[in-house]
Amino acid sequence: MPLTVGFDLDMTLIDSRPGIHSTYRELSARTGVWIDADLAVSRLGPPLEHELAHWFPEERVPEMVAAYREIYPTHAIAPSLALPGAGDAIQAVRAAGGRSVVVTAKNEPHAKLHLEHLRLEPDAVIGWLWAEAKAEALREHDATVYVGDHLGDIRGARAAGALAVSVATGPYDEEALRAAGADVVLPDLTAFPAWWAAYAEGAASLA
């Protein structure tokens, strides 16, 4: 079985903050409801419903989710860039004979739009999964490593029995990620290929 690595999307592989900020601003303009877009993009990770519940009554959240997702493709894809090392990280896994899967809380169609736009080519993309629920996809794809930026990603890796690798490119610094139980903490994905080469070599020697 080839080694499989799972990657989170937002603030792990891509910096989606500019696009999400623009989407929230447009949603606010259309609804007349104030949304602090700066605050919203500072806490990316949990499902969209969690954030919208801060700004709209519970009964309006499903409607606002639909409105946000309608706006998203035209406002969020082009401004969102790959984070440093994202392409090299996926390529490093492939070069070692491994597989990479993106497991994200973002809805799957939008996740795929981002990856296609940025020409990032994982072997599979699974959306709509957050925190411990990510373990479902990680187990299905036999992922032994999960790379993310959020504390919820650490919980997802733990639930799947995978190694929790954290990058400090999201809302948490290296100290907070270690304190939350990350097995490996990297400053960003530019450090991933060297770490992965050592990990893959070690795994091969134990096979």
Side-chain angles (χ1 to χ4, degrees):
M1 290 291 291
L3 290 171
T4 300
V5 179
F7 290 94
D8 177 47
L9 183 64
D10 292 317
M11 302 315 301
T12 298
L13 289 172
I14 70 171
D15 184 353
S16 52
R17 291 173 299 184
I20 291 174
H21 190 282
S22 177
T23 304
Y24 278 125
R25 291 285 299 272
E26 178 64 16
L27 181 64
S28 181
R30 291 190 185 188
T31 61
V33 174
W34 165 247
I35 298 172
D36 187 337
D38 292 334
L39 178 58
V41 299
S42 75
R43 53 192 184 194
L44 298 181
L48 173 62
E49 290 84 350
H50 292 205
E51 183 60 43
L52 289 174
H54 291 292
W55 312 106
F56 295 94
E58 182 179 356
E59 65 273 12
R60 293 198 68 194
V61 168
E63 172 196 356
M64 291 303 103
V65 167
Y68 177 99
R69 288 180 175 158
E70 179 185 356
I71 296 166
Y72 194 93
T74 55
H75 283 74
I77 303 301
S80 299
L81 303 178
L83 282 164
D88 290 341
I90 291 174
Q91 182 55 37
V93 174
R94 183 169 291 125
R99 299 178 69 253
S100 59
V101 297
V102 170
V103 183
T104 175
K106 189 182 293 298
N107 75 89
E108 199 168 296
H110 290 169
K112 290 179 177 178
L113 283 177
H114 277 296
L115 294 164
E116 290 166 6
H117 177 73
L118 296 170
R119 298 182 180 178
L120 299 174
E121 299 179 345
D123 295 286
V125 181
I126 305 95
W128 296 296
L129 297 175
W130 160 242
E132 288 83 358
K134 292 187 174 189
E136 173 188 335
L138 295 173
R139 286 193 297 263
E140 179 182 348
H141 288 272
D142 297 312
T144 56
V145 174
Y146 186 58
V147 185
D149 67 283
H150 200 280
L151 305 190
D153 298 325
I154 298 172
R155 286 155 42 201
R158 292 284 187 212
L163 195 74
V165 176
S166 293
V167 285
T169 45
Y172 298 97
D173 62 18
E174 294 185 33
E175 182 178 354
L177 293 166
R178 288 192 186 92
D183 297 302
V184 177
V185 178
L186 305 174
D188 55 41
L189 285 178
T190 63
F192 178 86
W195 173 83
W196 166 252
Y199 174 81
E201 182 180 352
S205 70
L206 295 174

